[in-house]
């Protein structure tokens, strides 16, 4: 006779009623217990709100329920109305809804599924993926207090990885020793998680020691182990050790994969070895492993750092064309925005940002910060503020980089008070200003001539526990140069020495430039010699500052000596250096050397700009080589060089001296069409051209262009114009211009009266002669130690 059981999931098949009554026999058919595998299969659930354009997809895990636990536990909880038959996902949701201080144990003690030991790993897995570390710790401690708990590697591995993500290496190491106390032997995944934890914290030596322990435990390292160790070395900037581990990995028969190559490239990037990263990428192309988006993002970053912008753009365009293989992500677009920002192309930065939005990518805080930084570099504070507000509108919280970039934007737009307001907001929003923030505020005051306020910010920084660095010193030195404060430069250099701040090349360049700006040639050269004595290599900027400063102080021979040193060191010559050298040769009367330098500039691939062309025009004017000056002007037009006021003045001088005054007037007309401002020299050359051409009508027309600028035009130019009008017989026009000069407060001296009186005398206009003479006699001379300046009062 078959016995009947109460085992769950059994199907009973009873015979007919008659047969049962007659034989009083009940037959039981036993079935196998339902498999629990389906209990841990994840099911996706989601919803779509078409009206609001929102959608959400979530994965739910059932786990073992009430019907799956042993019968003794099922009977125990059957009559308890507080017990809940939740799924694993429901428990996770309930736990995350509590704060870490709430009664997490009480909640878990109401869960029927706690009697199924198999639920514990899945509970920890979901919590470590979704929850905070406090919730996970509370659940893990509760779990260890359960009678049916059994220590498992996978649970400890998940907890160690969780501590790794939160950079809590000591706690991760503690779990490693704890699991061994529970007689739970670490496996390869355990060591991988622990190496990853130390790698995230930058403790690469600890990671190496853990690897050695793993080998002593006779656990063969996997590819993931090597990848974690390479990442530990590379993230610390120790790219040489990363390469050694990669070589050891290959020698041990574990071949690198795409992740390995990306980690090595990232190690080169962290160690600022951008050229080596590009070389490694070329070797990677020879393997069967194809790069992904992460690989190309690293290469684009390295190319931007090496200023190889064209190659970076080519890779970006290739990624956009081949979207199926390597689709550009937010990091890619952020790098491109940074690229255009470095080039000063703000319009392209905005275009790249809009392109990212059009691709359906959601920008993050770093993307917004890159765009704010692009605006800040150009001093576009309104646009930077608009992007800053957009960060908050899109649900992000501006970080310290966002505030610092906005502060920098106000500093570059000459609004130091606004920059100070942003600094106050940083502290009000409980963000801690870093040294970059303070340096930006120092620059905001220093670049606007407020040196005292900039130094006060330096003291405030020290009071907040931050010590100034080389950038702080460079910023203050540049401010001293702008404000022409000689004594302050020495004070700042002494302060840097007292604080133990070692000056680098950039700092020396700032100090040399500051001394040059205030005319302290000897001190600037002394700093340069000190720099060479301390084996700090000067760069192109060093010599550019020295050469330009020498030319500004008319020390042309010294400028050429510095240029020879620069060429001896094989440093690349900039356009400013070439222009200064051409100017120096011109002033020394060495036109052939100036022309040779100009040709060397073109042959070296450094295309001349308007400054270089102007310097060469001055050299030809000084050597009276008018024909070459004309040829140079045609070359400028052919190369589409945009003229400025100084270049036009040099050209006009060449036209007038070379006997082509008509071209000088034509150039002046072209300047009006292109809105190029006129200067004293331009007006002087225009009057000279009219005088050479005897073009009195054009000369009279010049007056209407000169009237708004009469107070700032030099007396020499005005006297020439008055002389020209008198010589042409335009006495009335001359007198009108003279009285306008009086009314506008223009610069009038004895030569002015001499020109007027001579022309009136030659024309026989005695009445006007006496009138002007009386005005001159009634002039009150105010001697304020200024040269021949008069304050005229018309009686």
């Amino acid at each position: 006779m078959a016995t009947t059981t109460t085992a769950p999931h059994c199907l009973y098949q009873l015979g007919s009623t008659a047969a049962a009554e007659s034989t009083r026999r009940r037959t039981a058919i036993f079935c196998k217990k339902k498999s629990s595998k389906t209990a841990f299969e994840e099911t996706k659930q989601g919803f779509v709100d078409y009206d609001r354009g929102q959608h959400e997809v979530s994965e739910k895990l059932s786990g073992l329920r009430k019907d799956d636990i042993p019968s003794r536990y099922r009977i125990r909880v059957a009559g308890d109305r507080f017990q809940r038959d939740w799924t694993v996902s429901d428990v996770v949701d309930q736990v995350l809804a509590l704060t870490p201080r709430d009664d997490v144990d009480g909640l878990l003690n109401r869960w029927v599924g706690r009697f199924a030991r198999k639920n514990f790993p899945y509970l920890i897995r979901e919590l470590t993926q979704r929850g905070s570390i406090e919730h996970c710790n509370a659940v893990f401690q509760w779990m260890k207090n359960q009678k049916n708990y059994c220590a498992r590697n996978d649970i400890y591995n998940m907890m160690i990885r969780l501590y790794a993500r939160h950079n809590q290496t000591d706690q991760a190491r503690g779990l490693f020793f704890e699991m061994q106390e529970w007689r739970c032997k670490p496996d390869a995944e355990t060591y991988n998680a622990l190496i990853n934890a130390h790698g995230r914290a930058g403790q690469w030596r600890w990671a190496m020691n853990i690897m050695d322990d793993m080998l002593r435990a006779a656990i063969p390292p996997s590819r993931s182990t090597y990848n974690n160790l390479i990442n530990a070395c590379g993230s610390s900037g120790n790219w040489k050790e990363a390469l050694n581990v990669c070589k050891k990995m290959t020698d041990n028969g574990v071949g690198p994969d795409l992740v390995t190559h990306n980690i090595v490239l990232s190690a080169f990037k962290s160690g600022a070895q951008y050229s080596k990263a590009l070389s490694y990428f070329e070797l990677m192309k020879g393997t069967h492993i194809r790069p992904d988006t992460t690989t190309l993002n690293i290469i684009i970053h390295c190319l931007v750092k090496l200023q190889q912008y064209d190659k970076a753009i080519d890779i970006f365009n290739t990624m956009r064309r081949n979207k199926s293989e390597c689709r550009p992500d937010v990091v890619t677009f952020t790098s491109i925005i940074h690229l255009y920002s470095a080039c000063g192309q703000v319009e392209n930065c905005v275009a790249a940002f809009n392109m990212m939005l059009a691709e359906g990518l959601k920008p993050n805080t770093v993307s917004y910060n890159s765009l704010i930084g692009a605006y800040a570099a150009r001093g576009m504070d309104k646009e930077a503020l608009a992007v800053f507000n957009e960060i908050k509108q899109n649900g992000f919280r501006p970080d310290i980089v966002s505030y610092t970039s906005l502060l920098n934007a106000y500093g570059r737009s000459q609004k130091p008070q606004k920059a100070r307001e942003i600094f106050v907001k940083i502290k009000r929003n409980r963000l801690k200003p870093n040294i970059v923030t303070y340096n930006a505020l120092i620059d905001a005051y220093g670049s606007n001539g407020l040196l005292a306020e900039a130094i006060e910010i330096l003291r405030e920084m020290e009071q907040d526990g931050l010590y100034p660095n080389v950038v702080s010193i460079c910023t203050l030195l540049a401010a001293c140069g702008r404000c022409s404060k000689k004594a302050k430069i020495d004070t700042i250099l002494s302060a840097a020495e007292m604080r133990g701040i070692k000056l680098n090349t950039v700092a020396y360049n700032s100090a040399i430039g500051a001394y040059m700006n205030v005319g302290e040639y000897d001190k600037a050269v002394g700093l340069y010699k000190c720099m060479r004595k301390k084996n700090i290599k000067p760069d192109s900027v060093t010599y550019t500052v020295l050469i330009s400063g020498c030319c500004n102080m008319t020390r042309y021979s010294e400028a050429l000596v510095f240029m020879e040193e620069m060429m001896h060191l094989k440093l690349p010559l900039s356009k400013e250096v070439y222009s200064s050298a051409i100017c120096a040769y011109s002033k020394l009367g060495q036109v052939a050397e100036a022309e040779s330098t100009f040709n060397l500039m073109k042959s070296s691939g450094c295309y001349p700009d308007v400054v270089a062309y102007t310097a060469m025009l001055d050299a030809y004017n000084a050597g009276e080589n008018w024909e070459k000056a004309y040829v140079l002007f045609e070359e400028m037009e052919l190369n589409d060089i945009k003229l400025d006021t100084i270049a036009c003045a040099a050209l006009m001088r060449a036209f007038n001296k070379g006997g082509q005054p008509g071209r000088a007037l034509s150039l002046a007309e072209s300047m009006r069409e292109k809105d190029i401002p006129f200067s004293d020299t331009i007006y002087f050359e225009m009057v000279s051209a009219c005088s050479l051409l005897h073009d009195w009508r054009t000369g009279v027309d010049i007056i209407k262009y000169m009237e708004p600028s009469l107070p700032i035009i030099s007396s020499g130019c005005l006297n020439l114009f008055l002389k020209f009008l008198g010589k042409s017989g335009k006495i009335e026009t001359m007198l009108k211009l003279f009285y306008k000069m009086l009314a506008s407060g223009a610069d009038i001296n004895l030569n002015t009266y001499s020109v007027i009186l001579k022309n009136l005398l030659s024309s026989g206009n005695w009445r006007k002669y006496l009138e002007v003479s009386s005005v001159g006699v009634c002039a009150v001379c105010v001697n304020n130690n200024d040269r021949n300046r008069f304050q005229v009062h018309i009686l």
Side-chain angles (χ1 to χ4, degrees):
M1 178 177 177
T3 57
T4 308
T5 64
T6 58
H9 307 301
C10 289
L11 300 177
Y12 297 95
Q13 182 177 0
L14 300 179
S16 62
T17 306
E21 290 179 353
S22 62
T23 61
R24 299 191 180 274
R25 179 182 299 176
R26 186 170 57 182
T27 304
I29 300 176
F30 293 94
C31 298
K32 292 183 179 179
K33 188 178 179 180
K34 186 177 72 174
S35 175
S36 61
K37 291 183 179 179
T38 57
F40 299 107
E41 291 181 357
E42 294 181 347
T43 58
K44 291 186 178 181
Q45 296 181 0
F47 79 92
V48 178
D49 189 343
Y50 292 100
D51 296 331
R52 297 182 180 180
Q54 297 177 351
H55 70 278
E56 181 180 346
V57 178
S58 60
E59 293 183 348
K60 297 296 182 182
L61 186 69
S62 173
L64 297 179
R65 309 290 293 277
K66 182 178 179 180
D67 294 337
D68 302 318
I69 63 177
S71 59
R72 63 182 182 277
Y73 297 122
R74 194 166 60 252
I75 294 173
R76 176 179 170 183
V77 300
D80 192 345
R81 61 189 180 91
F82 292 103
Q83 297 297 310
R84 296 289 183 267
D85 189 17
W86 292 320
T87 65
V88 172
S89 297
D90 290 337
V91 176
V92 173
D93 293 336
Q94 298 266 6
V95 171
L96 295 180
L98 300 176
T99 63
R101 296 182 180 180
D102 291 337
D103 188 11
V104 177
D105 289 3
L107 173 68
L108 293 172
N109 289 334
R110 296 167 56 198
W111 175 39
V112 175
R114 70 183 183 276
F115 296 109
R117 186 188 301 168
K118 291 183 179 180
N119 283 334
F120 290 169
Y122 295 96
L123 177 62
I124 288 294
R125 188 191 68 181
E126 284 213 21
L127 278 172
T128 53
Q129 290 175 353
R130 297 170 51 193
S132 65
I133 193 169
E134 292 84 3
H135 289 97
C136 294
N137 280 332
V139 173
F140 188 52
Q141 292 302 322
W142 167 86
M143 190 181 297
K144 287 188 291 186
N145 293 329
Q146 302 304 303
K147 291 182 179 180
N148 62 334
Y149 170 74
C150 180
R152 293 178 47 149
N153 285 32
D154 53 354
I155 295 178
Y156 275 104
N157 293 346
M158 286 186 282
M159 289 300 298
I160 291 174
R161 280 195 292 267
L162 177 66
Y163 281 122
R165 289 200 298 271
H166 289 79
N167 293 326
Q168 296 185 13
T169 53
D170 292 338
Q171 290 82 347
R173 203 159 47 240
L175 279 181
F176 176 75
F177 294 120
E178 178 187 310
M179 68 184 295
Q180 297 179 69
E181 292 176 0
W182 284 71
R183 296 184 179 181
C184 185
K185 187 178 180 181
D187 57 6
E189 287 299 321
T190 311
Y191 283 102
N192 289 347
L194 199 58
I195 291 172
N196 184 31
H198 288 84
R200 285 174 175 267
Q203 300 175 2
W204 66 274
R205 293 187 184 278
W206 269 95
M208 297 283 285
N209 293 335
I210 294 168
M211 176 74 163
D212 294 338
D213 292 341
M214 183 179 181
L215 294 174
R216 279 193 291 269
I219 299 176
S222 63
R223 183 179 286 114
S224 298
T225 312
Y226 283 109
N227 288 344
N228 285 327
L229 188 58
I230 295 170
N231 186 44
C233 298
S235 59
S236 305
N238 199 337
W239 57 273
K240 291 183 179 179
E241 282 294 334
L243 281 181
N244 290 335
V245 175
C246 187
K247 184 177 182 300
K248 188 186 297 183
M249 173 184 182
T250 307
D251 294 341
N252 291 339
V254 182
D257 59 355
L258 177 60
V259 177
T260 311
H261 290 306
N262 287 344
I263 293 173
V264 172
L265 287 173
S266 182
F268 284 128
K269 175 182 140 185
S270 301
Q273 302 295 319
Y274 307 118
S275 299
K276 286 184 171 60
L278 297 181
S279 300
Y280 187 88
F281 179 65
E282 292 298 324
L283 293 175
M284 180 181 169
K285 287 181 180 179
T287 65
H288 64 280
I289 299 174
R290 304 187 67 175
D292 62 353
T293 301
T294 304
T295 314
L296 297 180
N297 285 345
I298 297 173
I299 296 303
I300 289 174
H301 177 87
C302 295
L303 289 171
V304 172
K305 289 295 184 180
L306 293 173
Q307 298 183 357
Q308 298 180 17
Y309 303 127
D310 293 338
K311 293 182 179 179
I313 293 296
D314 290 340
I315 293 178
F316 173 68
N317 292 331
T318 304
M319 292 176 70
R320 294 194 67 227
R321 285 193 299 268
N322 303 327
K323 292 182 180 180
S324 59
E325 297 181 3
C326 300
R327 187 182 185 89
D329 57 5
V330 175
V331 178
T332 315
F333 281 100
T334 303
S335 298
I336 295 301
I337 293 172
H338 181 69
L339 181 153
Y340 285 124
S341 175
C343 298
Q345 301 177 11
V346 182
E347 298 81 5
N348 287 337
C349 291
V350 179
F353 189 83
N354 293 333
M355 189 186 302
M356 176 172 57
L357 298 177
E359 294 283 345
L361 297 173
K362 187 176 181 180
N364 54 23
T365 307
V366 180
S367 306
Y368 284 112
N369 290 345
S370 297
L371 189 57
I372 295 174
Y375 284 128
R378 297 285 294 273
M380 302 169 69
D381 57 299
K382 293 181 180 178
E383 292 81 358
L385 179 61
V387 178
F388 181 84
N389 293 331
E390 191 176 339
I391 295 177
K392 296 184 285 186
Q393 292 171 2
N394 290 334
F396 294 102
R397 184 173 183 264
D399 57 8
I400 189 63
V401 179
S402 312
Y403 281 100
T404 302
S405 299
L406 183 60
L407 187 153
N408 191 31
Y410 283 121
R412 296 291 180 91
S413 59
Q414 299 181 351
K415 296 178 181 178
Q417 297 304 324
K418 284 281 189 181
R420 184 68 184 189
E421 291 176 9
I422 298 299
F423 186 79
V424 173
K425 284 184 179 180
I426 292 175
K427 293 188 173 182
R428 190 184 304 159
N429 292 330
R430 297 181 180 179
L431 290 173
K432 188 176 181 181
N434 54 27
I435 194 167
V436 180
T437 310
Y438 277 104
N439 288 342
L441 189 59
I442 291 172
D443 183 64
Y445 282 111
S447 59
N448 290 283
L450 303 172
L451 183 59
E453 289 82 353
I455 295 176
E456 187 62 31
I457 296 298
L458 185 71
R459 297 193 182 99
E460 183 180 339
M461 175 171 59
E462 293 179 322
Q463 291 173 0
D464 285 350
L466 291 174
Y467 297 99
N469 58 6
V470 177
V471 179
S472 313
I473 300 301
C474 292
T475 306
L476 287 174
L477 289 171
C480 291
R482 296 189 193 99
C483 302
S484 300
K485 300 287 185 180
K486 300 180 182 179
K488 291 293 184 182
I489 301 175
D490 299 331
T491 304
I492 292 170
L493 289 175
S494 301
E497 186 176 358
M498 289 174 57
R499 288 166 172 80
I501 301 174
K502 295 183 179 180
L503 302 184
N504 56 13
T505 304
V506 178
Y508 273 107
N509 293 346
S510 299
I512 293 171
Y515 277 129
M516 283 294 188
N517 287 337
V518 298
E520 290 286 346
Y521 171 80
D522 294 333
K523 288 187 176 181
V525 175
L527 265 182
Y528 166 73
K529 292 179 179 178
C530 177
M531 180 181 183
R532 298 299 300 269
K533 187 176 180 181
K534 292 183 178 180
N535 293 326
I536 298 176
K537 293 183 179 181
D539 58 4
S540 298
V541 178
T542 312
Y543 287 102
T544 300
V545 171
L546 286 168
I547 294 170
S548 301
C550 289
C551 288
N552 292 334
M553 288 186 282
T554 66
R555 292 178 173 269
Y556 303 113
S557 300
E558 290 86 344
L560 296 176
V561 171
F562 283 123
M563 184 178 175
E564 290 178 2
E565 288 185 20
M566 188 176 182
M567 296 178 70
H568 177 72
L569 294 174
K570 297 181 180 180
L571 294 173
L573 275 65
S574 63
K575 293 180 181 180
E576 188 174 357
V577 171
Y578 278 115
S579 301
S580 298
I582 294 169
C583 177
Y585 283 125
S586 173
K587 296 297 182 181
L588 294 173
Q590 301 176 12
V591 182
E593 288 78 1
E595 190 173 20
S596 175
T597 304
F598 186 73
N599 293 330
L600 177 64
M601 179 181 184
K602 291 189 288 186
S603 63
S604 63
C606 185
Y607 300 104
D609 56 3
V610 65
V611 179
Y613 275 107
T614 303
M616 198 63 231
L617 283 171
D618 289 335
Y620 285 140
N621 286 339
E624 298 184 354
N625 295 329
W626 319 119
E627 293 297 330
K628 289 186 177 180
Y630 304 153
V631 173
L632 195 64
F633 173 60
E634 293 174 356
E635 183 180 325
M636 292 174 70
E637 289 184 325
L638 184 65
N639 293 332
D640 197 22
I641 301 296
K642 293 183 179 179
L643 299 175
D644 58 5
T645 304
I646 301 175
C648 291
L651 284 170
M652 286 184 175
R653 190 179 308 114
F655 289 142
N656 287 333
K657 294 290 186 179
Q660 297 189 24
R663 298 185 67 179
L665 295 179
S666 298
L667 182 58
E669 188 64 30
S670 177
M671 288 178 65
R672 291 194 191 98
E673 295 175 357
K674 297 178 181 178
D675 293 328
I676 300 175
F678 284 31
S679 64
D680 279 359
T681 309
I682 296 295
Y683 285 121
F684 186 91
E685 296 299 337
M686 289 174 66
V687 174
S688 299
C690 291
S691 179
L692 291 172
L693 293 171
H694 302 286
D695 189 352
W696 320 121
R697 181 176 298 176
T698 303
V700 173
D701 291 339
I702 295 175
I703 296 177
K704 63 182 180 181
Y705 297 107
M706 294 179 63
E707 283 185 13
S709 307
L710 282 176
I712 59 174
I713 297 178
S714 65
S715 59
C717 181
L718 292 174
N719 292 344
L720 177 66
F721 199 27
L722 291 172
K723 184 177 180 180
F724 162 73
L725 293 174
K727 186 178 179 181
S728 62
K730 305 291 183 180
I731 302 299
E732 294 297 327
T733 305
M734 179 190 69
L735 289 175
K736 286 181 181 179
L737 178 59
F738 172 69
Y739 287 121
K740 286 180 181 178
M741 290 166 58
L742 292 175
S744 65
D747 191 8
I748 296 175
N749 53 28
L750 289 174
N751 291 333
T752 309
Y753 284 99
S754 176
V755 170
I756 295 292
L757 294 175
K758 283 182 180 179
N759 283 293
L760 290 174
L761 185 63
S762 62
S763 64
N765 197 335
W766 295 101
R767 190 167 62 85
K768 291 292 183 180
Y769 181 88
L770 294 175
E771 183 180 336
V772 174
S773 298
S774 63
V775 172
V777 171
C778 295
V780 179
C781 178
V782 181
N783 186 6
N784 289 325
N785 295 326
D786 201 0
R787 296 180 181 179
N788 297 329
R789 292 186 60 85
F790 294 89
Q791 182 177 355
V792 180
H793 301 274
I794 302 177
L795 302 180

